[in-house]
Amino acid sequence: MSSYRTEVEAADALKQAYQNIRAEIGKVIVGQDEVVKSVLISIFSNGHCLLVGVPGLAKTLLVQTIAQVLDLNFNRVQFTPDLMPSDIIGSEILGEDRHFKFIKGPIFSNIILADEINRTPPKTQAALLEAMQEKAVTAAGVTHKLEQPFFVLATQNPIEQEGTYPLPEAQLDRFMFNVTLGYPSFAEELQVVKNTTSTNKVQLNKIIGAAEIVEFQQLVRNIPVSDNVLEYAVKMVGKTRPQGELATANVKRFLNWGAGPRASQYLVLGAKCHAVISGKYSPDIEDVQAVAKPILRHRIVRSYHAEAEGLSTDQIIEQLF
Protein backbone atom coordinates (compact mmCIF):
# COMPACT_ATOMS: atom_id res chain seq x y z
CA MET A 1 0.00 0.00 0.00
CA SER A 2 2.83 2.38 0.85
CA SER A 3 4.46 1.86 -2.58
CA TYR A 4 1.15 2.66 -4.28
CA ARG A 5 0.80 5.82 -2.23
CA THR A 6 4.38 6.75 -3.12
CA GLU A 7 3.69 6.29 -6.84
CA VAL A 8 0.52 8.36 -6.57
CA GLU A 9 2.48 11.11 -4.82
CA ALA A 10 5.15 10.93 -7.52
CA ALA A 11 2.49 11.20 -10.24
CA ASP A 12 1.00 14.22 -8.49
CA ALA A 13 4.48 15.74 -8.26
CA LEU A 14 4.99 15.28 -12.02
CA LYS A 15 1.64 16.92 -12.74
CA GLN A 16 2.52 19.87 -10.49
CA ALA A 17 5.99 20.21 -12.02
CA TYR A 18 4.45 20.18 -15.49
CA GLN A 19 2.04 22.96 -14.56
CA ASN A 20 4.83 25.03 -13.02
CA ILE A 21 7.01 24.56 -16.11
CA ARG A 22 4.14 25.55 -18.41
CA ALA A 23 3.51 28.71 -16.37
CA GLU A 24 7.18 29.67 -16.46
CA ILE A 25 7.50 29.06 -20.22
CA GLY A 26 4.36 31.16 -20.70
CA LYS A 27 6.30 34.20 -19.50
CA VAL A 28 8.29 34.07 -22.76
CA ILE A 29 6.31 31.96 -25.25
CA VAL A 30 2.88 33.30 -26.19
CA GLY A 31 0.37 30.66 -27.31
CA GLN A 32 1.72 27.43 -28.86
CA ASP A 33 0.11 25.48 -25.99
CA GLU A 34 -0.04 22.13 -27.82
CA VAL A 35 3.54 22.54 -29.03
CA VAL A 36 4.86 23.16 -25.51
CA LYS A 37 2.80 20.24 -24.21
CA SER A 38 4.21 17.87 -26.84
CA VAL A 39 7.82 18.91 -26.17
CA LEU A 40 7.44 18.38 -22.41
CA ILE A 41 5.75 14.99 -22.91
CA SER A 42 8.65 13.88 -25.12
CA ILE A 43 11.16 15.00 -22.47
CA PHE A 44 9.37 13.19 -19.64
CA SER A 45 9.04 10.11 -21.87
CA ASN A 46 12.79 10.17 -22.65
CA GLY A 47 12.17 10.88 -26.33
CA HIS A 48 13.32 13.42 -28.91
CA CYS A 49 11.23 16.08 -30.61
CA LEU A 50 11.22 17.58 -34.11
CA LEU A 51 9.67 21.05 -34.48
CA VAL A 52 8.58 21.87 -38.04
CA GLY A 53 7.62 25.37 -39.14
CA VAL A 54 8.60 28.37 -41.21
CA PRO A 55 11.28 30.73 -39.84
CA GLY A 56 10.24 33.25 -37.20
CA LEU A 57 7.82 31.14 -35.15
CA ALA A 58 10.03 31.10 -32.02
CA LYS A 59 11.11 27.46 -32.37
CA THR A 60 14.64 28.24 -31.21
CA LEU A 61 13.43 30.54 -28.45
CA LEU A 62 11.10 27.80 -27.17
CA VAL A 63 13.94 25.27 -26.85
CA GLN A 64 16.22 27.81 -25.15
CA THR A 65 13.47 28.74 -22.70
CA ILE A 66 12.78 25.09 -21.83
CA ALA A 67 16.48 24.50 -21.18
CA GLN A 68 16.56 27.45 -18.78
CA VAL A 69 13.43 26.41 -16.89
CA LEU A 70 14.66 22.81 -16.56
CA ASP A 71 18.13 23.88 -15.32
CA LEU A 72 19.93 21.67 -17.83
CA ASN A 73 23.14 22.01 -19.82
CA PHE A 74 22.27 23.31 -23.26
CA ASN A 75 24.12 23.51 -26.58
CA ARG A 76 22.91 24.85 -29.89
CA VAL A 77 24.24 23.51 -33.19
CA GLN A 78 23.40 25.56 -36.27
CA PHE A 79 23.10 23.06 -39.13
CA THR A 80 24.56 24.42 -42.37
CA PRO A 81 25.51 22.76 -45.70
CA ASP A 82 29.21 22.67 -44.74
CA LEU A 83 28.71 21.20 -41.23
CA MET A 84 30.73 18.01 -40.66
CA PRO A 85 29.97 15.07 -38.28
CA SER A 86 33.07 15.94 -36.21
CA ASP A 87 31.58 19.41 -35.63
CA ILE A 88 28.80 17.70 -33.67
CA ILE A 89 30.45 14.67 -32.07
CA GLY A 90 33.96 15.98 -31.55
CA SER A 91 37.34 14.85 -32.85
CA GLU A 92 40.75 13.57 -31.83
CA ILE A 93 43.70 15.91 -31.81
CA LEU A 94 47.40 15.31 -31.24
CA GLY A 95 48.38 16.72 -27.87
CA GLU A 96 51.67 18.17 -26.73
CA ASP A 97 52.59 14.76 -25.27
CA ARG A 98 52.27 13.28 -28.80
CA HIS A 99 49.21 11.27 -27.76
CA PHE A 100 45.80 11.65 -29.35
CA LYS A 101 43.04 12.95 -27.10
CA PHE A 102 39.35 13.27 -27.76
CA ILE A 103 37.88 16.76 -27.70
CA LYS A 104 34.17 16.53 -27.00
CA GLY A 105 31.77 18.24 -29.37
CA PRO A 106 28.57 20.12 -28.53
CA ILE A 107 26.56 16.90 -28.41
CA PHE A 108 27.90 16.32 -24.89
CA SER A 109 25.12 18.21 -23.17
CA ASN A 110 21.66 17.52 -21.69
CA ILE A 111 19.71 19.35 -24.37
CA ILE A 112 20.90 19.69 -27.96
CA LEU A 113 19.15 22.20 -30.17
CA ALA A 114 19.71 20.97 -33.71
CA ASP A 115 18.71 24.22 -35.40
CA GLU A 116 17.45 23.90 -38.98
CA ILE A 117 18.52 20.28 -39.03
CA ASN A 118 17.44 19.76 -42.63
CA ARG A 119 19.82 22.39 -44.00
CA THR A 120 22.78 20.02 -43.76
CA PRO A 121 23.45 16.94 -45.94
CA PRO A 122 22.29 13.47 -44.76
CA LYS A 123 25.86 12.40 -43.86
CA THR A 124 26.00 15.00 -41.10
CA GLN A 125 22.38 14.44 -40.04
CA ALA A 126 23.25 10.76 -39.55
CA ALA A 127 25.91 11.73 -36.98
CA LEU A 128 23.06 12.11 -34.50
CA LEU A 129 21.68 8.59 -35.00
CA GLU A 130 23.81 6.74 -32.43
CA ALA A 131 23.45 9.52 -29.88
CA MET A 132 19.66 9.59 -30.21
CA GLN A 133 19.25 5.82 -29.91
CA GLU A 134 22.11 4.63 -27.71
CA LYS A 135 22.71 7.85 -25.72
CA ALA A 136 26.39 7.45 -26.62
CA VAL A 137 28.81 8.37 -29.40
CA THR A 138 31.73 6.45 -30.85
CA ALA A 139 34.92 8.15 -32.02
CA ALA A 140 38.09 6.34 -33.10
CA GLY A 141 36.64 3.05 -31.86
CA VAL A 142 35.96 4.36 -28.35
CA THR A 143 32.39 4.73 -27.07
CA HIS A 144 31.62 7.76 -24.92
CA LYS A 145 28.44 7.77 -22.84
CA LEU A 146 26.33 10.91 -22.83
CA GLU A 147 25.18 12.54 -19.63
CA GLN A 148 21.58 11.83 -18.64
CA PRO A 149 19.01 13.12 -19.32
CA PHE A 150 19.75 13.67 -23.01
CA PHE A 151 17.36 15.12 -25.58
CA VAL A 152 17.64 16.25 -29.15
CA LEU A 153 15.16 19.02 -29.89
CA ALA A 154 15.47 19.77 -33.58
CA THR A 155 13.93 22.50 -35.68
CA GLN A 156 13.18 21.98 -39.34
CA ASN A 157 12.04 24.28 -42.11
CA PRO A 158 9.36 22.99 -44.51
CA ILE A 159 11.11 20.92 -47.18
CA GLU A 160 9.59 23.06 -49.90
CA GLN A 161 11.96 25.89 -48.93
CA GLU A 162 15.28 26.57 -50.63
CA GLY A 163 18.40 24.81 -49.38
CA THR A 164 16.76 21.97 -47.46
CA TYR A 165 17.49 18.24 -47.46
CA PRO A 166 14.92 15.59 -46.49
CA LEU A 167 15.76 13.82 -43.23
CA PRO A 168 16.64 10.11 -43.60
CA GLU A 169 13.74 7.83 -42.61
CA ALA A 170 15.90 6.09 -39.99
CA GLN A 171 16.54 9.41 -38.27
CA LEU A 172 12.93 10.57 -38.52
CA ASP A 173 11.87 7.36 -36.78
CA ARG A 174 14.07 8.21 -33.79
CA PHE A 175 12.09 11.36 -33.09
CA MET A 176 9.23 10.58 -30.75
CA PHE A 177 7.21 13.60 -31.87
CA ASN A 178 6.96 15.57 -35.09
CA VAL A 179 5.30 18.81 -33.99
CA THR A 180 4.06 21.33 -36.55
CA LEU A 181 3.94 25.01 -35.67
CA GLY A 182 1.42 27.32 -37.24
CA TYR A 183 1.20 31.09 -37.39
CA PRO A 184 -0.06 32.80 -34.21
CA SER A 185 -3.53 34.29 -33.99
CA PHE A 186 -3.96 38.08 -34.23
CA ALA A 187 -4.20 38.44 -30.45
CA GLU A 188 -1.15 36.22 -29.86
CA GLU A 189 0.95 38.06 -32.44
CA LEU A 190 -0.09 41.37 -30.92
CA GLN A 191 1.17 40.14 -27.53
CA VAL A 192 4.42 38.84 -29.07
CA VAL A 193 5.15 42.18 -30.71
CA LYS A 194 4.32 44.04 -27.49
CA ASN A 195 6.65 41.80 -25.44
CA THR A 196 9.57 41.85 -27.85
CA THR A 197 9.72 45.51 -28.82
CA SER A 198 10.23 46.89 -25.33
CA THR A 199 13.12 46.90 -22.87
CA ASN A 200 11.35 44.62 -20.38
CA LYS A 201 13.45 41.63 -19.33
CA VAL A 202 11.77 38.41 -18.24
CA GLN A 203 13.36 36.58 -15.31
CA LEU A 204 12.86 32.82 -15.58
CA ASN A 205 12.89 30.56 -12.52
CA LYS A 206 14.45 27.11 -12.62
CA ILE A 207 11.72 24.57 -11.79
CA ILE A 208 13.42 21.15 -11.81
CA GLY A 209 16.84 19.73 -12.63
CA ALA A 210 18.40 16.67 -14.20
CA ALA A 211 17.90 14.32 -11.24
CA GLU A 212 14.15 15.04 -11.01
CA ILE A 213 13.71 14.59 -14.76
CA VAL A 214 15.35 11.15 -14.66
CA GLU A 215 13.06 10.17 -11.77
CA PHE A 216 9.98 11.36 -13.67
CA GLN A 217 11.12 9.39 -16.74
CA GLN A 218 11.27 6.25 -14.62
CA LEU A 219 7.86 7.05 -13.14
CA VAL A 220 6.30 7.28 -16.61
CA ARG A 221 7.62 3.81 -17.46
CA ASN A 222 6.22 2.40 -14.20
CA ILE A 223 2.68 3.67 -14.81
CA PRO A 224 0.30 0.71 -15.33
CA VAL A 225 -1.60 0.43 -18.59
CA SER A 226 -4.57 -1.85 -19.29
CA ASP A 227 -4.50 -4.49 -22.01
CA ASN A 228 -7.26 -2.84 -24.03
CA VAL A 229 -5.27 0.41 -24.25
CA LEU A 230 -2.14 -1.51 -25.29
CA GLU A 231 -4.11 -3.38 -27.95
CA TYR A 232 -5.68 -0.15 -29.20
CA ALA A 233 -2.25 1.49 -29.63
CA VAL A 234 -0.76 -1.51 -31.44
CA LYS A 235 -3.83 -1.89 -33.67
CA MET A 236 -3.71 1.79 -34.59
CA VAL A 237 -0.11 1.41 -35.76
CA GLY A 238 -0.96 -1.85 -37.54
CA LYS A 239 -3.70 -0.10 -39.48
CA THR A 240 -1.14 2.28 -41.02
CA ARG A 241 0.60 -0.57 -42.88
CA PRO A 242 -0.95 -1.00 -46.36
CA GLN A 243 0.43 -4.54 -46.66
CA GLY A 244 -0.76 -5.56 -43.17
CA GLU A 245 -3.82 -7.57 -42.23
CA LEU A 246 -5.39 -4.66 -40.32
CA ALA A 247 -5.23 -2.19 -43.22
CA THR A 248 -8.52 -0.72 -44.42
CA ALA A 249 -9.34 0.00 -48.05
CA ASN A 250 -8.56 3.70 -47.48
CA VAL A 251 -5.15 2.92 -45.99
CA LYS A 252 -4.26 0.67 -48.92
CA ARG A 253 -5.28 3.44 -51.30
CA PHE A 254 -3.78 6.44 -49.55
CA LEU A 255 -0.58 5.12 -47.93
CA ASN A 256 2.57 3.66 -49.47
CA TRP A 257 4.27 2.90 -46.16
CA GLY A 258 3.24 2.56 -42.54
CA ALA A 259 4.73 3.02 -39.09
CA GLY A 260 7.05 0.52 -37.39
CA PRO A 261 7.01 -0.97 -33.85
CA ARG A 262 8.75 2.09 -32.40
CA ALA A 263 5.53 4.00 -33.06
CA SER A 264 3.59 1.55 -30.85
CA GLN A 265 6.13 1.97 -28.06
CA TYR A 266 5.96 5.76 -28.25
CA LEU A 267 2.14 5.75 -28.37
CA VAL A 268 2.01 3.89 -25.07
CA LEU A 269 4.75 5.96 -23.40
CA GLY A 270 3.23 9.20 -24.65
CA ALA A 271 -0.25 8.14 -23.48
CA LYS A 272 1.13 7.33 -20.01
CA CYS A 273 2.73 10.75 -19.66
CA HIS A 274 -0.31 12.53 -21.11
CA ALA A 275 -2.50 10.76 -18.56
CA VAL A 276 -0.34 11.82 -15.60
CA ILE A 277 -0.12 15.48 -16.55
CA SER A 278 -3.91 15.39 -17.07
CA GLY A 279 -4.44 14.19 -13.49
CA LYS A 280 -4.98 10.46 -14.19
CA TYR A 281 -2.97 7.54 -12.85
CA SER A 282 -3.41 5.25 -15.87
CA PRO A 283 -3.91 6.06 -19.56
CA ASP A 284 -7.07 5.38 -21.53
CA ILE A 285 -7.82 5.37 -25.26
CA GLU A 286 -8.31 9.16 -25.31
CA ASP A 287 -4.71 9.58 -24.15
CA VAL A 288 -3.47 7.43 -27.03
CA GLN A 289 -5.49 9.51 -29.48
CA ALA A 290 -4.15 12.75 -27.96
CA VAL A 291 -0.55 11.87 -28.88
CA ALA A 292 -1.22 9.91 -32.09
CA LYS A 293 -0.79 12.67 -34.68
CA PRO A 294 2.68 13.95 -33.69
CA ILE A 295 3.89 10.37 -33.24
CA LEU A 296 2.55 8.97 -36.52
CA ARG A 297 2.70 11.88 -38.98
CA HIS A 298 6.41 11.45 -39.79
CA ARG A 299 6.22 7.65 -39.90
CA ILE A 300 3.68 7.20 -42.70
CA VAL A 301 4.18 7.95 -46.38
CA ARG A 302 1.25 9.15 -48.46
CA SER A 303 0.53 7.66 -51.86
CA TYR A 304 -0.04 9.52 -55.11
CA HIS A 305 -3.80 9.12 -54.59
CA ALA A 306 -3.67 10.93 -51.23
CA GLU A 307 -1.66 13.79 -52.68
CA ALA A 308 -3.95 14.05 -55.71
CA GLU A 309 -7.03 14.23 -53.48
CA GLY A 310 -5.39 16.70 -51.10
CA LEU A 311 -5.47 14.38 -48.08
CA SER A 312 -2.97 15.32 -45.36
CA THR A 313 -1.26 12.80 -43.11
CA ASP A 314 -3.24 14.19 -40.14
CA GLN A 315 -6.54 13.53 -41.95
CA ILE A 316 -5.47 9.96 -42.68
CA ILE A 317 -4.50 9.45 -39.02
CA GLU A 318 -7.89 10.78 -37.89
CA GLN A 319 -9.55 8.05 -39.95
CA LEU A 320 -7.64 5.46 -37.88
CA PHE A 321 -9.42 6.63 -34.71
Side-chain angles (χ1 to χ4, degrees):
M1 194 70 174
S2 60
S3 63
Y4 172 76
R5 190 160 53 244
T6 302
E7 289 183 4
V8 168
E9 290 171 354
D12 290 339
L14 173 53
K15 179 188 175 185
Q16 187 61 52
Y18 168 78
Q19 292 173 343
N20 294 341
I21 292 167
R22 285 291 297 266
E24 206 65 25
I25 292 171
K27 293 180 180 178
V28 176
I29 304 298
V30 177
Q32 305 288 14
D33 290 339
E34 287 303 312
V35 175
V36 174
K37 186 177 186 178
S38 294
V39 172
L40 292 178
I41 288 176
S42 71
I43 288 175
F44 289 129
S45 302
N46 200 12
H48 309 286
C49 194
L50 180 64
L51 305 175
V52 182
V54 297
L57 295 182
K59 300 186 296 293
T60 303
L61 178 62
L62 170 62
V63 178
Q64 292 173 331
T65 304
I66 289 174
Q68 281 184 266
V69 173
L70 297 183
D71 194 18
L72 296 175
N73 296 326
F74 167 78
N75 274 327
R76 173 184 174 183
V77 181
Q78 184 65 49
F79 280 64
T80 56
D82 60 348
L83 191 74
M84 298 297 291
S86 59
D87 296 328
I88 302 172
I89 295 172
S91 58
E92 284 199 325
I93 65 168
L94 188 62
E96 295 178 354
D97 57 357
R98 294 189 175 276
H99 288 86
F100 282 100
K101 61 179 179 179
F102 180 66
I103 303 299
K104 293 180 178 180
I107 203 166
F108 287 87
S109 191
N110 295 124
I111 293 184
I112 299 299
L113 168 55
D115 211 3
E116 297 187 302
I117 190 173
N118 61 330
R119 291 197 182 277
T120 196
K123 175 183 178 181
T124 305
Q125 294 172 4
L128 288 173
L129 282 176
E130 182 184 12
M132 293 174 70
Q133 182 63 28
E134 309 296 338
K135 307 295 173 70
V137 296
T138 301
V142 179
T143 299
H144 305 268
K145 286 289 183 183
L146 297 173
E147 185 181 348
Q148 296 302 309
F150 173 76
F151 316 105
V152 173
L153 301 179
T155 68
Q156 174 178 310
N157 300 126
I159 59 172
E160 293 80 11
Q161 291 197 338
E162 288 289 329
T164 59
Y165 300 83
L167 290 182
E169 287 79 1
Q171 184 169 356
L172 275 176
D173 195 44
R174 281 165 171 78
F175 284 104
M176 179 178 185
F177 281 157
N178 178 337
V179 182
T180 55
L181 287 82
Y183 289 108
S185 66
F186 176 79
E188 289 172 345
E189 189 163 354
L190 198 64
Q191 187 64 45
V192 168
V193 174
K194 184 178 179 181
N195 292 349
T196 56
T197 54
S198 68
T199 56
N200 293 334
K201 293 286 185 181
V202 176
Q203 187 67 39
L204 290 173
N205 298 313
K206 301 184 186 301
I207 305 300
I208 57 174
E212 293 96 330
I213 292 173
V214 172
E215 288 178 9
F216 285 145
Q217 289 174 343
Q218 191 59 47
L219 167 70
V220 169
R221 287 196 167 267
N222 289 338
I223 290 170
V225 55
S226 62
D227 288 343
N228 71 305
V229 174
L230 276 173
E231 290 172 6
Y232 181 82
V234 175
K235 281 182 180 178
M236 180 181 285
V237 173
K239 287 178 182 178
T240 67
R241 301 164 185 162
Q243 300 82 12
E245 57 185 21
L246 298 176
T248 63
N250 275 350
V251 166
K252 292 177 180 178
R253 175 176 171 79
F254 295 131
L255 290 183
N256 283 337
W257 204 255
R262 193 179 274 120
S264 300
Q265 296 168 339
Y266 282 148
L267 274 179
V268 173
L269 280 174
K272 286 181 175 186
C273 188
H274 187 273
V276 173
I277 65 176
S278 302
K280 295 181 284 188
Y281 300 114
S282 182
D284 52 31
I285 287 173
E286 286 73 21
D287 293 303
V288 177
Q289 293 175 345
V291 298
K293 286 182 183 178
I295 287 175
L296 293 177
R297 66 166 58 110
H298 56 302
R299 292 183 164 88
I300 60 178
V301 179
R302 290 182 301 161
S303 69
Y304 165 78
H305 297 290
E307 294 181 11
E309 296 185 23
L311 271 181
S312 67
T313 52
D314 283 6
Q315 289 173 318
I316 296 171
I317 293 167
E318 284 174 5
Q319 294 176 5
L320 302 176
F321 292 171

